Amino acid sequence: MSDDIIHLDFESFSKIDIKKCGGFRYAADDSTEILMAAVALNDEDPVLWLPEWYETESLQSDPRALEIMKMWADHSVHVYAHNSSFEFAICKYHMKSQMGLTPPDSAQWRCTAAMARRAAIPSSLEDCAKILKLAEQKDNKGTRLITKFCKLGKKKGKMVRTMPWDAPEAFEEFAEYCLQDVRTERDIHKRLKPFELTGMALRTFQLDLKINDNGVPVDRPTLIKADKLIDETVLELTEKFTAITGLTPTQNKAMGAWFRARGYEHQSMDAEHIGKALADAGWADCSETLDALKIRKRLGFAAVKKVKAMLRSADKDNRVRGSLVYYGAERTGRSAGRLIQPQNFKRPSFKDTAGAYEMIKWGCSRDDLSLMYGDTFEVIASCIRHFVQFDGGQQILDADYASIEARIVCWLAGQQDALDEFVNGDDAYIKMALKIFPDANEADLIRRKNNDESTIERFVGKQSVLGCGFGMGVEKFLGTCESYGQTLDRELGQRAIDAYRSKYDKVKNLWYLCNNAAMNAIRHPGRRFKAGPKLSFCYVTLSQIPFLTMRLPSGRNLVYAFAAITDTGKFGPEVSFLAKNGTSGRWVRSGTYGGSLVENATQATAGDIMANGAIKANDAGFEIVTLVHDQALGCQDLPNGKNIDTFCDLLADLPAWADGLPVIAEGKVTPYYVK
């Protein structure tokens, strides 16, 4: 068994944009080629491999580079890269043809960006090196050199490629830049040793890599037809917008000034502020101003942009690869979505999405689609899940954990009466409704549920059970209900919250236990403080960074980097830490509280359950094509006669640490992805 480690970095050229289509589609493109590879064995200085046609008298490929890369034929050798899914994809599509080598086995790959995400610090090579204050920093010449050699550039009105011999001195700089990336990546690996991928973390990382390589199936022919309908709609709306304003919708600065000159009060033209302006339209100087703003809102309808994302990202076999990022959700460690992001697909606004999808599939006109179902954008966005389907007639295995967060939060808190309801098969939403609506009749609510009749009582009970476990306030509760098309008065919203906190008193108590344990841990470094029966907190220094750690039942630790107690909280002193701002993308100090810590623990535990079950399903031979929060999608080409029930059983086969947690997975076989 070898202890050798190889550190690897590629630089490549392609005609397509990796940021728009993802690493796998980029690597698979016919125009893509490896320009160079920097590689280092253990602590040796990195050496460079070059295609022979790019060699010059002053820049030669080092024979040692190929020798090192041949070493991964021994599958015990580990291959490290930063964001290694890119190197994995490049190896898959180009290593044999350009280097004559067999790529590393998928089990050999490791990723230093994944280690950074586990440490809850910035995961880009440059920012990670800076925050760790490494001796080996990323070369700041990279952006200029990548633009020069890795992409097409405009010259005399034409898109042309700069070849290495066109700028030999700059290409030599590029080679040194590639070598320096390996030095930086290796230093990150050494510093972040406490966050090494081992055990279950490694198995989960490798599962994500395999799922990414499997790819999400999409219906390209129908996507093309939908895209045509979208483009026609955009053209019509743009012409109307220009007729009113004299501007195009892409002239953001001029457009903002135009609206503000006519009474628009916001600096931002994002969907949230436009929505507020349209909700209270008394500011507008005339109806045409409102018409223009409505058009601008429609043109910014993000949900239909998923269609173009699927088309850009799909490979020749109609699979979108690389749509998951291991540990992409920094606060919980769950896999996050990229590229098409089914995690935030729009909820349908009407029921007959299958009928609308069939119209699109058979090439209907915009007029016919609108006549039957309404606004083109709204219809296509509502059908978005239908585009996730196999093109060979195979069905999708669709399995989802039932109310898993509601179950987990009660388990973490020791709320045994609530767990008993789940074990006994009681409808927890109806039980909650009876607390909120004392005059409701349980038998009647059960009868109406069995007849598939909607009731306001069960709806409010459901939203309470699913949403109130993390300290949600009345405004957010009302907003959540509103997003499902139900407008509640404030009194009912407050009654629902109060009823939840009364019925689930141990869950409520867990918020305070977590907040107090976190603060005590920071005040007393090195000591461990329990929070309820399943969680504990400790304040430690790892990789020269102070961390607040929360140990989960699985044994995994969630970490909060540079944690401290600050006095700037809304309700007094609070725990704060370094976190990525979801809007700006910048890393800033962020506050947290007991309910949020419980939410982190709950969702992280759900992620641990999913990882455990998905690994078992994968090991049994099921092809998993993606994970969407608490939902797993697989291919119906079943191994050894296994069926959807087997798939669900494997997902719900819990590890020993989850004893007493009542989890079930419910599944169906469906022609397309269904939420």
Side-chain angles (χ1 to χ4, degrees):
M1 177 68 71
S2 171
D3 293 323
D4 287 325
I5 290 174
I6 293 174
H7 299 272
L8 175 68
D9 183 58
F10 287 120
E11 300 298 343
S12 55
F13 167 82
S14 183
K15 292 180 179 179
I16 65 173
D17 188 340
I18 191 171
K19 291 183 179 179
K20 292 183 178 179
C21 67
F24 280 82
R25 174 67 185 86
Y26 172 97
D29 195 75
D30 292 338
S31 69
T32 301
E33 66 162 313
I34 302 172
L35 294 175
M36 62 183 71
V39 61
L41 177 64
N42 301 321
D43 290 328
E44 293 179 9
D45 201 46
V47 289
L48 192 73
W49 175 88
L50 283 173
E52 60 182 18
W53 50 89
Y54 293 148
E55 291 183 316
T56 65
E57 287 187 9
S58 58
L59 186 63
Q60 297 282 316
S61 185
D62 191 322
R64 176 63 175 155
L66 211 55
E67 289 177 10
I68 291 172
M69 287 187 280
K70 286 179 179 178
M71 291 178 65
W72 59 53
D74 176 355
H75 286 187
S76 66
V77 173
H78 297 159
V79 182
Y80 282 78
H82 202 78
N83 290 317
S84 61
S85 63
F86 172 74
E87 272 72 20
F88 174 90
I90 290 292
C91 286
K92 173 181 177 177
Y93 290 103
H94 298 282
M95 180 151 280
K96 193 73 175 177
S97 61
Q98 283 197 247
M99 295 180 173
L101 296 178
T102 300
D105 184 77
S106 61
Q108 293 176 258
W109 286 98
R110 304 292 188 272
C111 181
T112 47
M115 293 168 68
R117 291 193 294 272
R118 289 191 74 207
I121 60 174
S123 61
S124 76
L125 189 68
E126 180 177 8
D127 292 341
C128 185
K130 284 181 178 177
I131 204 165
L132 293 174
K133 298 179 181 179
L134 299 179
E136 298 288 356
Q137 292 288 318
K138 184 176 175 66
D139 190 337
N140 59 16
K141 299 172 185 174
T143 301
R144 171 176 61 84
L145 295 168
I146 288 170
T147 300
K148 190 175 192 70
F149 292 110
C150 300
K151 306 174 183 179
L152 293 175
K154 187 173 285 188
K155 187 175 182 181
K156 295 182 179 179
K158 295 182 178 179
M159 299 304 292
V160 296
R161 177 182 175 185
T162 300
M163 302 301 294
W165 50 79
D166 294 328
E169 291 183 0
F171 196 67
E172 289 184 29
E173 282 187 83
F174 199 26
E176 179 53 38
Y177 164 81
C178 186
L179 292 165
Q180 182 59 26
D181 269 6
V182 168
R183 296 184 189 105
T184 305
E185 179 270 325
R186 181 169 57 191
D187 264 17
I188 289 173
H189 173 237
K190 289 180 177 179
R191 178 67 65 81
L192 293 180
K193 270 291 186 182
F195 300 95
E196 185 72 79
L197 302 179
T198 60
M200 195 64 180
L202 177 59
R203 295 203 69 193
T204 306
F205 168 77
Q206 291 171 340
L207 174 69
D208 277 23
L209 188 61
K210 182 172 183 180
I211 292 172
N212 277 330
D213 195 30
N214 290 339
V216 180
V218 295
D219 181 0
R220 186 196 295 270
T222 308
L223 282 167
I224 292 171
K225 292 170 183 174
D227 193 45
K228 181 174 180 289
L229 296 174
I230 291 168
D231 287 345
E232 290 173 358
T233 306
V234 168
L235 179 61
E236 179 186 287
L237 291 173
T238 299
E239 289 174 349
K240 289 181 179 179
F241 186 85
T242 301
I244 296 172
T245 66
L247 302 167
T248 66
T250 57
Q251 293 175 276
N252 292 323
K253 187 174 180 180
M255 178 178 60
W258 188 90
F259 280 111
R260 283 189 289 274
R262 287 156 180 79
Y264 184 78
E265 297 177 349
H266 307 287
Q267 288 298 312
S268 174
M269 293 293 298
D270 62 17
E272 179 183 356
H273 288 93
I274 290 176
K276 289 179 180 178
L278 289 173
D280 184 12
W283 55 269
D285 61 347
C286 66
S287 60
E288 279 196 332
T289 300
L290 290 176
D291 290 341
L293 193 60
K294 290 174 183 176
I295 292 171
R296 176 65 183 81
K297 182 181 180 183
R298 288 189 67 198
L299 287 170
F301 194 19
V304 296
K305 296 178 182 177
K306 301 282 189 183
V307 169
K308 291 187 182 296
M310 289 182 191
L311 283 171
R312 283 195 307 266
S313 308
D315 208 341
K316 293 176 183 178
D317 62 353
N318 297 336
R319 297 280 189 114
V320 174
R321 293 181 169 85
S323 64
L324 283 180
V325 178
Y326 167 78
Y327 227 93
E330 286 117 350
R331 292 277 52 81
T332 65
R334 293 205 288 192
S335 299
R338 293 293 186 269
L339 301 175
I340 61 175
Q341 291 185 290
Q343 289 83 353
N344 61 9
F345 276 179
K346 183 184 179 299
R347 189 179 298 116
S349 58
F350 60 93
K351 287 188 175 182
D352 186 24
T353 55
Y357 184 80
E358 284 301 309
M359 286 189 67
I360 299 169
K361 182 176 181 177
W362 298 115
C364 70
S365 68
R366 276 198 311 138
D367 289 342
D368 287 344
L369 188 65
S370 297
L371 181 65
M372 288 294 295
Y373 293 101
D375 176 71
T376 304
F377 282 180
E378 187 68 37
V379 174
I380 292 173
S382 293
C383 294
I384 197 68
R385 288 174 178 79
H386 290 259
F387 294 107
V388 177
Q389 59 175 272
F390 292 101
D391 57 7
Q394 301 149 303
Q395 299 285 290
I396 287 177
L397 300 179
D398 188 332
D400 197 359
Y401 291 115
S403 308
I404 187 168
E405 289 188 13
R407 296 167 187 254
I408 288 173
V409 73
C410 292
W411 181 70
L412 293 175
Q415 191 79 54
Q416 191 59 47
D417 53 345
L419 295 175
D420 290 342
E421 290 180 358
F422 287 116
V423 170
N424 296 334
D426 296 337
D427 189 315
Y429 308 149
I430 288 179
K431 293 293 185 183
M432 189 71 247
L434 296 174
K435 293 287 185 181
I436 301 168
F437 302 91
D439 296 333
N441 181 277
E442 183 173 8
D444 181 56
L445 292 178
I446 293 173
R447 178 187 60 78
R448 293 169 70 181
K449 172 201 169 184
N450 292 338
N451 291 333
D452 201 25
E453 297 178 30
S454 60
T455 63
I456 188 63
E457 293 89 351
R458 188 174 184 274
F459 170 81
V460 175
K462 179 178 181 178
Q463 297 313 313
S464 301
V465 169
L466 297 182
C468 291
F470 313 125
M472 179 189 290
V474 66
E475 295 298 338
K476 188 173 181 180
F477 181 78
L478 294 175
T480 300
C481 293
E482 184 75 35
S483 71
Y484 286 93
Q486 289 284 358
T487 301
L488 308 183
D489 62 59
R490 188 179 182 85
E491 186 275 332
L492 177 54
Q494 189 62 58
R495 199 165 77 228
I497 288 173
D498 292 343
Y500 178 91
R501 295 180 181 184
S502 173
K503 178 175 170 60
Y504 295 85
D505 58 313
K506 287 185 171 60
V507 172
K508 176 184 175 182
N509 191 44
L510 185 62
W511 308 337
Y512 302 104
L513 292 175
C514 281
N515 193 68
N516 292 337
M519 286 194 169
N520 283 330
I522 294 172
R523 293 186 179 113
H524 304 281
R527 289 179 56 188
R528 182 163 298 281
F529 293 86
K530 290 198 68 175
K534 305 289 185 183
L535 304 174
S536 65
F537 292 80
C538 190
Y539 192 68
V540 296
T541 296
L542 302 168
S543 304
Q544 300 178 25
I545 294 174
F547 288 98
L548 172 68
T549 68
M550 175 164 57
R551 183 182 291 168
L552 303 173
S554 64
R556 177 163 70 95
N557 282 298
L558 294 184
V559 300
Y560 301 81
F562 300 99
I565 297 174
T566 55
D567 294 325
T568 56
K570 185 177 180 181
F571 302 106
E574 68 177 5
V575 173
S576 67
F577 57 96
L578 187 71
K580 187 176 182 179
N581 183 278
T583 303
S584 68
R586 291 182 295 179
W587 286 75
V588 297
R589 184 155 289 278
S590 177
T592 189
Y593 57 95
S596 182
L597 293 169
V598 171
E599 182 176 26
N600 293 166
T602 299
Q603 293 180 351
T605 300
D608 291 339
I609 294 292
M610 173 61 84
N612 173 80
I615 287 170
K616 288 181 177 178
N618 174 75
D619 290 348
F622 286 91
E623 179 191 347
I624 300 175
V625 297
T626 196
L627 305 176
V628 187
H629 297 310
D630 303 315
Q631 190 172 16
L633 303 184
C635 177
Q636 194 202 10
D637 279 351
L638 300 176
N640 303 322
K642 294 183 173 67
N643 56 29
I644 184 63
D645 293 334
T646 312
F647 190 51
C648 290
D649 288 345
L650 289 165
L651 289 173
D653 186 5
L654 299 183
W657 58 259
D659 182 51
L661 175 58
V663 167
I664 59 171
E666 300 172 335
K668 53 189 172 293
V669 178
T670 174
Y672 58 88
Y673 166 42
V674 179
K675 176 57 179 173

